[in-house]
């Protein structure tokens, strides 16, 4: 799939679609969207859809960033607190490490 | 000249052959076989025992010859962490040093030195089963002073050890020599070990479970979706019981029983080596022999004549907070034991426990004396007990042994009585269920190897006489053996046989009400065989005879039966052997072939088709039976494992235990390689780049250029792919 | 350009349009493309209709390949010699473009095998391999293995027949449904397994929340990128990973010797299915040709695209069976035989794609996009004369070696299996042998100009070198290494 | 610690070849293919020699014997490679435009030599490297901790030697100068023979002469590739 051959309206559609899909708890899609359309949004000579594409790209990027941050926080909290949480920690755990608390 | 030198080389080389073409791996590592690893057990609140990292613990070998070595290791060992190689003699002195400062200790390889063995060696706590002992026991492993039972105990069995420990028995001394060699080759210069190749050990005993039983059981239950992993199992096995007369629902109330108990199991820090000669085997063998003898004194068919019964019981898992006896006591309190005809505490006339009686044998191996102490945990006089003790003494008269000194104290040594006194508190303490404990020590153990890997047959001076058994299963009598000098007064066989006789006759007296006048006595020959079976080789005459005839003839290994209780998941061999021995030695042989035997079903009896003395197969009718020896903690639903009411021991699961010795690099090689590699690579890069860029100028056109585009496209058509 | 925009998109339409666009993309400005898309939107309402439209457009497309005069004339075809040479050149480039993904796939598999021992221990087996080779006797093992592989093979054959029927009946919905399911299975179930074992191997704690979140993202993106459209690199990464997962599953769940037997049997089956006139794949091709529609062409890896490969079917039923190589057919050579070659090859490819990696067919259109996007990198040519400079760029789009994902999987199975015994020489030998086999196949391709199965040569080499190395070479090599003798 | 050993040894052995590959071969598919073909050729030769070694049971314990055959087969396959490249070149002459084949003969030689050498090096070292990961190093029974370094160094030497040998070998056959061919074969025998000493841990005695041979060979290769010190110096001076 290469964007250079896409007519601008299609680009916009695609970008928007990706953004929308990203709203279904799919930050990864957002990240991809941001990276993928970055050139289109910021490098290309301006065209009329570019403004919106830019908007979507920025939104996706921020969304993805927020998600990543949230996930990182959660993971750190879990790793630090798992033992303290006791039974809850274990029932939350998908892999419980062997041989240690 | 090249060719010439080459020829020379060939000549040189054809003279000696290059034999081994093994993979390099075998040259680097040499695995240490036959080591027994310390493993991890967990109770309701703690984890005990050892575990390595999951890819093994690696440390520099350091042979501990005296305490200073240990000091040096923990304080100023520079190339650490170290793997301390300690003999059983030093172990007691150095272990605390390591436990205090484990930072520099990667692990311990413990070996038993053939030449000098320690005078005492016990990893059990100073007060075994301290926290499940009944009220009134004053022993405390934490408080200094006061009498403790196991004076030499290090308590490692109950402590969390921060490093792995492997044990090498005497038979594996060659492995130690291997390590010694390697050690002397590399590690002797203690001052500058750092940065040099050093002889190292890797101990791998990674334990899956952690924290405590509650956590590990929880984790075993809840684990990943697709392939769950088990982390730990509850300890447990089977109890064995056998009543002189069959006990059925209708007869049980009429006949009060005398409960005679002993323990099957023992323990040790290391996996698979728990001989427990003095700790448990002597007691168990005494019980088995006594039961045999009594069954000869009183034939089972005379049941209707007497108003008394004797219930012989072997508890299992006693080493770990009295698993077996706790379960039995608990079941009695619930009126569920024995399953066929449950006992009520009122039915039990007297409870005689044969405790640890093997220790004294080591001190008194050259005379016939064998002092006993009967612990009577009552302040007031209990007639049954006094009567019993008197009868014992009188019955012991013929042989001026054993001497039994009563100890009227509430401070009972470790024994199953504790369970009964805790769980059946009201009846036992009041004396409705009178209890007495036979032991060979008054206030501290005479057995200095309690629950240790060194508690072997040698420690009770047992030497197997290897006498043949007649096809009818008749054993040579003790007196005959003494007469023909096969055995001496001091031999444990004789002593145990006499104790068994005394006990049997006493019980005869309690059952019949009249002293025994006949001359049937326990045979030291039987004791000899039995000790051999439990202490030296399972491939012994008795077990062969007592095995299932349908066993397929696969003879058990020629090693001591493992007496560690093991996990409840599968039954250990020891209780099975004990049970079958009871059946074979006490049961009635029926003239029935196999099919008939299997079909037989008379209440109060069970029927076994065993090999028999001439291995032709016999049908045995016996009252022997087994009951689960799993702690009530795991039977009661929603029991709080932390409460500490019942034994809550679990054993961790592990994958592999291995040890190997090798030389660890000092880093010189790596450094050299890195330096050379970097320089060469950079050099090559520069040179190639230069030639690449100036190919056309350096290499005479149109001669070869290492790279240029014309050439590249030229090749395009020289090869078509 | 395909009508990617509409969220509710019917797969058929895309692929067909895709092909068409692929041909014309270079020539026409975006405006025209756009309006053609508009046209297609109208016709897209019902399948039959769209086929009609495809019919048309297909004609146009093949016109671009210089067949009919009714279309805008193709760029001036260069001289034969030049083409030949271009071919070789692109041939070489294509070969490398095949080597890279194949190598990557093998790399993933080998790394996994040697770091996570879950995949090398045998405990559970496929339902399709009832004989577990537990007996100690070599003979029994052998017939067990053979029986297993035969069962598997018959399953495959059955599948193929089923697929032919489905295809003839034009029940695309079923086919696509199946496709989606299988890819779902791979993306979620197998990668779940993978994550679990990886974490367990390194004893890393992890919570369900994170797991679910990560899996959902990974899988979701995967479905989008495989079934619809996304950045090329990402798609390639996904496809390679999927192939690797598939290979790992085979290694794990096939009994020891069955694996080898299957490898052998499959490559023979491959020969038959592709080369014999009545081979199932061939039949599929014929129908495809009659209908004159490209069936899921994207299943085949085309070297002009960087790795546009895909094949996922649940391990039990189908196994990926796209194993044809499509010959390079020079653009603009109107001779009959050339066209036949082209058609055949295309067909073969399609067939492969068809029963191999179903869900990837939608990528055809992506693929073409990609191709045309590839900047012409043949500098020397460009410098020399601009006229041919266009040529390669154009050529590069339609021609190209096409390789089914099945090959990737089975190559990886072989190498991974070899590496599971811990002797790296064996692994290396198999790797090189397979690459060379591939190279030879391509060489044959360039000579024969007809569709060829890609497994036989490579797998044969691989097997030969595996067993030779294990039995004969290893002792010698170990001896040399132990004694540090360099030869 | 041991990982460090692993990586540094791999760097030492394969760093230089990797650089050469990435600078001169990687950017051209055809060269890559030639290289792989050469690697395969080496593989075949090794297979044959180990077959011989394996077949002749009584001599199996004499590595020297296997070594001799290995060298012979390798040189044989080097010649085979030469023939192959030349033949393909002949076969494709007509479709090649005005292009002097002469210039890329030795280039192919270089590429194929690199392939040859890399494969032999890999076969010599991969398992050793695999064993170097892990806590231990040699020395328990015999050998020193420098085993891995020396092994890596020898491997590098062999890889480079093979590269240059091919260059010399090809040019030798091109201009019928059989001295060069002779040098290649003899020095190959010499170096391999030397390495037999390694089993007695005379590593220095092996490595130093081998590297001397390497230098000589490199120079000969340089000359036979048409290069001359004068031009090299000139290029250096003019550029810097």
């Amino acid at each position: 799939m290469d964007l250079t051959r896409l007519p601008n309206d299609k680009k916009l559609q695609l970008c928007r679609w990706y953004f929308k899909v990203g709203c279904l708890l799919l930050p990864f899609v957002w990240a991809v969207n941001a990276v993928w359309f970055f050139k289109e949004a910021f490098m290309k000579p301006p065209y009329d859809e570019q403004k919106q594409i830019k908007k979507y790209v920025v939104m996706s990027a921020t969304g993805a960033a927020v998600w990543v941050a949230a996930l990182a926080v959660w993971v750190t909290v879990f790793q630090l607190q798992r033992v303290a949480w006791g039974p809850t920690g274990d029932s939350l755990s998908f892999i419980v490490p062997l041989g240690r608390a | 000249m090249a060719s010439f030198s080459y020829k020379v080389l060939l000549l040189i080389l054809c003279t000696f052959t290059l034999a081994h073409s093994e993979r390099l791996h075998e040259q680097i590592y040499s695995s240490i076989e036959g080591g027994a690893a310390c493993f991890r057990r967990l109770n309701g609140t703690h984890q005990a025992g050892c575990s390595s990292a999951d890819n093994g613990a690696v440390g520099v070998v350091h042979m501990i010859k005296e305490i200073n070595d240990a000091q040096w290791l923990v304080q100023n060992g520079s190339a650490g962490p170290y793997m301390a190689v300690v003999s059983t003699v030093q172990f007691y002195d150095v272990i605390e040093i390591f436990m205090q400062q484990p930072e520099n200790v990667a692990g311990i390889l413990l070996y038993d030195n053939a030449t000098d063995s320690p005078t005492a060696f016990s990893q059990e706590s100073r007060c075994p089963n301290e926290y499940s002992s009944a009220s009134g026991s004053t022993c405390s492993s934490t408080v200094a002073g006061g009498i403790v039972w196991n004076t030499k105990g290090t308590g490692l069995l109950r402590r969390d050890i921060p490093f792995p420990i492997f044990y090498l028995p005497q038979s594996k001394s060659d492995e130690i020599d291997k390590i010694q060699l390697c050690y002397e080759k590399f590690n002797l210069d203690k001052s500058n070990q750092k940065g040099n190749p050093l002889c190292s050990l890797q101990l791998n005993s990674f334990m899956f479970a952690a924290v405590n039983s509650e956590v590990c059981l929880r984790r075993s239950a809840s684990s990943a979706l697709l392939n769950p992993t088990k982390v730990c199992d509850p300890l447990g096995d089977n109890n064995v019981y056998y009543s002189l007369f069959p006990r059925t629902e209708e007869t049980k109330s009429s006949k009060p029983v005398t409960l005679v108990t002993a323990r099957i199991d023992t323990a040790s820090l290391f996996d698979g080596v728990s001989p427990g000669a003095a700790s448990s085997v002597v007691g168990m063998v005494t019980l088995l022999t006594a039961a045999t003898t009594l069954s000869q004194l009183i034939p089972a068919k005379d049941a209707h004549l007497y108003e008394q019964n004797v219930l012989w019981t072997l508890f299992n898992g006693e080493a770990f907070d009295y698993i077996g006896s706790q379960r039995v006591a608990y079941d009695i309190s619930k009126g569920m034991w024995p399953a066929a005809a449950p006992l009520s505490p009122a039915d039990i006339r007297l409870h005689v426990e044969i405790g640890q009686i093997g220790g004294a044998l080591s001190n008194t191996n050259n005379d016939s004396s064998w002092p006993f102490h009967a612990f009577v945990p009552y302040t007031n006089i209990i007639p049954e007990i006094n009567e019993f003790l008197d009868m014992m003494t009188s019955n012991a008269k013929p042989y001026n042994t054993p001497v039994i000194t009563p100890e009227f104290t509430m401070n009972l040594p470790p024994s199953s009585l504790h369970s009964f006194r805790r769980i059946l508190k009201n009846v036992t303490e009041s004396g409705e269920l009178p209890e007495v404990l036979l032991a060979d020590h008054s206030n501290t153990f005479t057995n200095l190897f309690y629950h240790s890997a060194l508690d072997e047959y040698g420690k009770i001076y047992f030497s197997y006489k290897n006498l043949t058994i007649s096809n009818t299963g008749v054993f040579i009598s003790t007196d005959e053996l003494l007469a023909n000098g096969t055995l001496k007064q001091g031999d444990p066989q004789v002593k145990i046989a006499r104790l068994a006789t005394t006990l049997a006759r006493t019980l005869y007296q309690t059952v019949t009400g009249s002293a025994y006048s006949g001359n049937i006595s326990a045979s030291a020959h039987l004791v000899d065989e039995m000790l051999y079976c439990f202490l030296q080789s399972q491939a012994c005459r008795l077990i062969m005879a007592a095995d299932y005839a349908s066993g397929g003839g696969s003879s058990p290994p020629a090693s001591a039966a493992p007496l560690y209780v093991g996990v409840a998941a599968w039954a250990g061999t020891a209780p099975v052997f004990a049970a079958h021995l009871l059946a074979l030695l006490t049961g009635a042989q029926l003239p029935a072939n196999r099919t008939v035997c299997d079909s037989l079903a008379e209440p109060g009896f069970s029927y076994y088709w065993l090999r028999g003395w001439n291995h032709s197969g016999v049908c045995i009718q016996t009252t022997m039976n087994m009951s689960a020896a799993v702690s009530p903690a795991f039977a009661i639903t929603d029991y709080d494992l932390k409460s500490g009411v019942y034994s809550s021991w679990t054993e961790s699961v592990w994958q592999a235990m291995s040890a190997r010795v090798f030389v660890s690099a000092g880093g010189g090689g790596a450094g050299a390689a890195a330096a050379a590699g970097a320089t060469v690579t950079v050099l090559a890069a520069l040179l190639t780049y230069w030639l690449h860029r100036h190919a056309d100028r350096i290499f005479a056109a149109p001669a070869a250029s290492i790279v240029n585009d014309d050439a590249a496209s030229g090749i395009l058509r020289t090869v078509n792919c | 350009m395909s009508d990617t925009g509409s969220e509710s998109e019917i797969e058929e339409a895309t692929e067909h349009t895709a092909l068409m666009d692929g041909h014309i993309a270079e020539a026409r400005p975006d405006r025209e493309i756009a309006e053609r898309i508009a046209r297609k939107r109208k016709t897209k309402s019902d399948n039959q209709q769209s086929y009609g439209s495809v019919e048309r457009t297909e004609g146009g497309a093949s016109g671009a390949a210089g067949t009919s005069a009714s279309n805008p004339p193709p760029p001036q075809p260069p001289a034969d010699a030049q083409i030949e040479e271009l071919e070789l050149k692109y041939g070489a480039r294509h070969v490398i473009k095949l080597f890279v993904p194949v190598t990557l796939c093998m790399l993933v598999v080998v790394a996994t095998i040697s770091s996570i021992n879950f995949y090398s221990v045998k405990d559970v087996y496929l339902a399709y391999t009832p004989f577990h080779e537990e007996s100690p006797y070599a003979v029994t093992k052998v017939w067990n293995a053979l029986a297993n592989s035969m069962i598997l093979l018959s399953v495959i054959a059955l599948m193929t027949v089923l697929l032919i029927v489905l295809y003839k009946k034009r029940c695309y919905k079923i086919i696509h449904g199946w496709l989606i399911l299988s890819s779902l299975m791979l993306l979620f179930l197998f990668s779940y397994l993978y994550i679990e074992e990886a974490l367990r191997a390194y004893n890393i704690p992890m919570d369900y929340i994170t797991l679910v979140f990560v899996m959902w993202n990974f899988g979701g993106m995967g479905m989008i990128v495989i079934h619809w459209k996304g950045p090329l690199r990402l798609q390639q990464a996904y496809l390679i990973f999927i192939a690797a997962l598939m290979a790992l599953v085979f290694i794990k769940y096939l009994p020891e010797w069955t694996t080898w037997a299957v490898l052998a049997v499959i490559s023979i089956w491959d020969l038959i299915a592709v080369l014999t006139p009545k081979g199932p794949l061939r039949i599929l091709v014929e129908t495809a040709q009659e209908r004159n529609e490209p069936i899921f062409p994207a299943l085949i890896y085309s070297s002009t695209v960087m790795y546009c490969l895909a094949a996922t079917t649940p391990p039990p039923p189908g196994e990926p069976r796209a194993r044809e190589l499509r010959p390079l057919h020079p653009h603009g050579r109107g001779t009959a035989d050339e066209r036949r070659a082209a058609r055949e090859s295309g067909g073969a490819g399609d067939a492969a794609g068809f029963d191999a990696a179903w869900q990837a067919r939608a990528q055809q259109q992506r693929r073409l996009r990609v191709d045309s996007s590839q900047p012409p990198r043949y500098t020397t040519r460009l410098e020399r004369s601009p006229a041919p400079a266009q040529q390669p760029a154009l050529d590069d789009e339609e021609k190209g070696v096409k390789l089914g994902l099945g090959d990737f999987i089975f190559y990886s199975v072989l190498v991974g299996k070899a590496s599971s015994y811990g002797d790296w020489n064996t692994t290396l030998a198999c790797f090189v042998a397979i690459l060379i086999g591939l190279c030879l196949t391509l060489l044959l391709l360039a000579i024969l100009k007809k569709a060829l199965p890609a497994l036989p040569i490579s797998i044969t080499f691989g097997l030969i070198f595996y067993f030779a190395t294990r039995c004969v070479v290893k002792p010698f090599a170990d001896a040399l290494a132990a004694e540090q003798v360099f030869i | 610690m041991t990982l460090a050993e692993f990586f540094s040894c791999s760097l030492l052995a394969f760093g230089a070849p990797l650089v050469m590959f990435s600078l001169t071969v990687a950017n051209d598919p055809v060269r890559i293919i030639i290289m792989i073909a050469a690697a395969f050729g080496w593989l075949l030769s090794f297979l044959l020699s180990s077959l011989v070694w394996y077949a002749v049971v009584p001599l199996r314990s004499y590595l020297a014997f296997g070594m001799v055959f290995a060298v012979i087969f390798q040189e044989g396959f080097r010649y085979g490679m030469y023939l192959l490249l030349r033949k393909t070149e002949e076969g494709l002459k007509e479709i090649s435009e005005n292009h002097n084949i002469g210039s890329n003969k030795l280039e192919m030689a270089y590429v194929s030599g690199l392939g040859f050498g890399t494969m032999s090096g890999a076969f010599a070292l991969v398992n050793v490297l695999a064993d170097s990961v892990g806590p231990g190093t040699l020395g328990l029974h015999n050998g020193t901790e420098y085993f891995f370094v020396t092994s890596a160094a020898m491997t590098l030497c062999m890889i480079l030697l093979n590269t240059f040998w091919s260059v010399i070998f090809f040019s030798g056959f091109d201009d019928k100068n059989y001295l060069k061919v002779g040098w290649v074969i003899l020095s190959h025998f010499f170096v391999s023979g030397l390495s037999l000493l390694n089993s007695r841990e005379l590593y220095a005695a092996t490595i130093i002469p081998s590297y001397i041979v390497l230098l000589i060979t490199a120079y000969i290769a340089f000359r036979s590739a048409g290069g001359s010190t004068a031009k090299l110096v000139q290029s250096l001076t003019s550029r810097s």
Side-chain angles (χ1 to χ4, degrees), chain B residues 224 226-227 716-717 720-721, chain C residues 88-89 92 193 196 200 439 443:
Chain B
L226 285 188
N227 14 32
L716 283 176
R717 58 194 61 71
N720 78 331
C721 223
Chain C
L88 295 169
K89 192 150 132 210
L193 200 67
E196 178 182 351
R200 198 163 276 168
C439 208
L443 191 58

Side-chain angles (χ1 to χ4, degrees), chain D:
Chain D
M1 192 70 249
T2 45
L3 266 188
E5 192 156 32
F6 171 77
F7 282 117
S8 44
C9 284
S10 342
L11 177 69
L12 174 53
F14 298 115
L18 187 68
V19 167
M20 289 159 77
F21 171 80
S22 47
L23 280 181
T24 58
V25 179
N27 57 0
D28 179 353
V30 178
R31 290 192 196 135
I32 299 177
I33 291 165
I34 295 179
M35 191 166 159
I36 295 176
F40 187 69
W42 187 88
L43 211 56
L44 282 175
S45 74
F46 193 65
L47 176 57
L48 282 185
S49 35
S50 44
L51 267 174
V52 171
W53 177 79
Y54 197 79
V56 188
V57 180
L59 285 177
R60 213 177 277 178
S61 55
Y62 295 90
L63 269 182
F65 166 78
M67 186 270 285
V68 173
F69 273 93
V71 173
I72 293 170
F73 276 117
Q74 279 184 75
E75 293 309 329
F77 271 85
R78 206 190 296 277
Y79 184 64
M81 204 64 208
Y82 171 80
L83 290 185
L84 176 73
L85 288 181
R86 289 292 169 265
K87 195 160 264 87
T88 46
E89 162 190 279
E90 287 308 315
L92 292 166
K93 209 146 208 168
E94 65 272 12
I95 56 162
S96 67
E97 300 152 348
N98 53 354
H99 207 89
N100 47 359
I101 307 303
S103 74
N104 53 52
K105 271 184 195 156
L106 292 182
E107 178 183 345
M108 288 185 290
Y110 158 79
V111 173
S112 69
L114 193 58
F116 229 70
T118 315
M119 199 61 193
S120 71
F123 252 64
L125 203 61
V126 273
N127 279 333
V128 175
L129 283 178
D131 286 335
S132 80
V133 191
T137 184
L138 235 67
L140 189 59
H141 307 304
N142 50 8
T144 70
E145 71 165 326
Y146 291 92
F147 176 89
F148 293 113
V149 191
T150 49
S151 163
M154 268 314 276
T155 312
L156 174 64
C157 182
M158 288 312 283
I159 296 176
L160 296 180
L161 270 176
N162 268 301
T163 317
F164 298 136
W165 278 335
S166 288
V167 173
I168 301 172
F169 195 83
F170 280 39
S171 75
F173 272 106
D174 281 341
D175 41 29
K176 302 279 175 293
N177 178 353
Y178 295 108
L179 261 174
K180 290 179 173 177
V181 181
W183 165 259
V184 169
I185 296 172
L186 288 187
S187 52
H188 195 166
F189 269 118
F190 176 64
V191 174
S192 300
L194 266 184
S195 68
L196 285 169
L197 290 177
N198 279 338
S199 55
R200 318 176 124 196
E201 301 182 26
L202 305 170
Y203 293 123
T206 317
I207 291 181
I208 294 161
S210 311
Y211 270 86
I212 294 169
V213 173
L214 172 61
L215 289 182
I216 302 168
T217 319
Y219 182 70
I220 300 177
F222 181 67
R223 290 314 302 268
S224 46
S228 71
T229 26
K231 294 210 199 81
L232 181 57
V233 173
Q234 169 201 344
S235 75
L236 286 166
T237 48
S238 65
R239 279 307 172 122
S240 52

Side-chain angles (χ1 to χ4, degrees), chain B residues 135-271:
Chain B
S135 60
S137 54
T138 62
C139 181
S140 158
S141 58
T142 50
V143 178
I147 60 156
V148 293
W149 300 115
N150 189 23
T151 44
K152 285 294 184 184
T154 60
L156 287 180
L157 200 58
R158 316 286 169 159
R159 290 159 71 184
D160 185 22
I161 306 169
F163 41 75
I165 304 179
F166 272 57
Y167 169 75
L168 278 177
Q170 284 184 15
S171 54
K172 296 294 173 189
S173 55
D174 51 343
E175 302 286 3
I176 287 298
D177 301 344
K178 197 162 67 186
I179 297 170
Q180 179 84 35
L181 230 73
C182 165
Y183 172 75
E184 279 157 3
K185 191 168 160 195
F186 292 97
N187 301 13
L188 277 188
D189 182 3
K190 281 201 270 180
S191 52
N192 60 351
Q193 285 185 327
K194 196 138 194 66
N196 290 328
L198 292 169
C199 180
S200 306
L201 262 174
Q202 182 174 37
L203 303 184
N204 191 344
S205 66
F206 176 58
M207 296 295 149
F208 286 9
V211 187
N212 58 35
S213 294
E214 190 185 0
V215 171
C216 81
L217 287 173
R218 186 174 68 218
R219 289 179 179 175
S220 301
S222 75
S223 124
L225 300 178
L226 285 188
N227 14 32
T229 47
K230 192 160 210 186
V231 175
C232 65
D233 300 291
L235 290 186
D237 201 344
N238 284 317
N239 295 327
V240 178
Y241 60 91
Y242 150 77
S243 60
L244 176 61
F245 304 134
R247 300 186 62 262
T248 57
E249 277 299 333
E250 48 274 15
T251 60
K252 66 166 178 143
S253 52
S254 60
K255 290 197 170 111
V257 301
T258 308
L259 187 62
V260 186
T261 60
R263 57 185 280 206
I264 301 174
D265 76 303
T266 177
S268 105
L269 190 61
F270 305 106
D271 174 39

Side-chain angles (χ1 to χ4, degrees), chain A residues 2 17-18 74 94 100, chain C residues 7 203 206-208 229 373:
Chain A
D2 92 6
W17 190 87
Y18 260 73
W74 162 249
F94 157 59
R100 53 188 157 106
Chain C
E7 279 76 359
N203 203 14
M206 185 175 187
D207 59 311
Y208 275 110
K229 56 183 81 162
S373 78

